[in-house]
Each structure stands twice: as structure tokens, then as C-alpha cells.
Amino acid sequence: EVQLVESGGGLVQAGGSLRLSCAASGLDSDDYAIGWFRQAPGKEREGVSSINIGDGSTVYADSVKGRFTISSDNAKNTVYLQMNSLKPEDTAVYYCAATWGLIATMYEPEYDYWGQGTQVTVSV
């Protein structure tokens, strides 16, 4: 059974940083990608970033390029999302998700497994 558990959310002032973690279990090969998505109140869920575990390739949404960094520690089966220079518009519930395949993608329908989400709140 595949399980994803997010952690690291919280309340931070604008300009601050947070690091989210996504601990994965039940994925028994490196042929998968982990994506980070977020959903703000009243808005649709959107892709933030993705990493392919096999080759380390990454993609980012334009809104977070240069501020967020996705990385993986394969020994710990954990993917991180380092978020710097946070803005109030980054406030959302952040979800990690997993999909089998060899590319990093933020195409949400591709993802089969989802975590429960972690709240990130950025105050002015």
C-alpha cells in the first residue's frame, strides 16, 4: 500500500521560509515522480513542483520559480519542498502526490496517490 505523509507546514511571515517534507512508503522502485500541489480557499488545486525520483529531473510552476526548490533523499524515501521568500498568496493546503512514470509532471490527473495535506499560512 502506497502512503504519503506531509509535514512541515505552519504559519510564517511574508519573506520567511518553510520546508515541507513528503515521506513515501510502498513505492518499491525509483520509477515514479512526486508532485507538490496546493489549494487555496475558494480556488482550484494547482501544481507547484514535481521531481522524478529516478533521474532527479524537476519542474516548477512559474509562480514559484526561483523561490521554491524540490529535492529528494532517496535513502529516506522523502521529498522536500524548500520554500523561500514566501508571499501571502502562497497560503494554501499543500499536498504531495505520487505517480508511476519516468517524467516529472504537474498534470494532476496523472497522480494516483495523495497525502492528507499540510497547511501553510503566510501572514503579511
Side-chain angles (χ1 to χ4, degrees):
E1 180 186 5
V2 176
Q3 289 190 329
L4 303 171
V5 179
E6 303 99 333
S7 61
L11 173 64
V12 65
Q13 287 187 326
S17 299
L18 283 174
R19 188 177 78 159
L20 305 183
S21 299
C22 174
S25 60
L27 294 161
D28 56 3
S29 77
D30 289 341
D31 295 337
Y32 67 94
I34 295 288
W36 283 100
F37 297 81
R38 66 186 181 186
Q39 187 167 24
K43 295 187 177 180
E44 292 188 354
R45 190 158 56 189
E46 63 176 356
V48 175
S49 183
S50 175
I51 184 168
N52 178 269
I53 299 304
D55 65 8
S57 59
T58 60
V59 292
Y60 294 92
D62 288 343
S63 59
V64 306
K65 280 180 182 176
R67 300 189 299 124
F68 292 10
T69 303
I70 192 169
S71 63
S72 67
D73 183 336
N74 292 357
K76 295 182 178 180
N77 293 322
T78 299
V79 169
Y80 303 99
L81 185 69
Q82 178 67 43
M83 306 186 296
N84 299 328
S85 302
L86 283 161
K87 305 175 181 179
E89 51 263 44
D90 294 317
T91 295
V93 178
Y94 284 70
Y95 300 89
C96 69
T99 178
W100 296 109
L102 295 176
I103 61 171
T105 176
M106 292 188 295
Y107 184 57
E108 188 173 333
E110 292 280 352
Y111 285 84
D112 301 305
Y113 309 102
W114 291 82
Q116 81 288 352
T118 185
Q119 176 71 46
V120 171
T121 303
V122 184
S123 63
V124 297

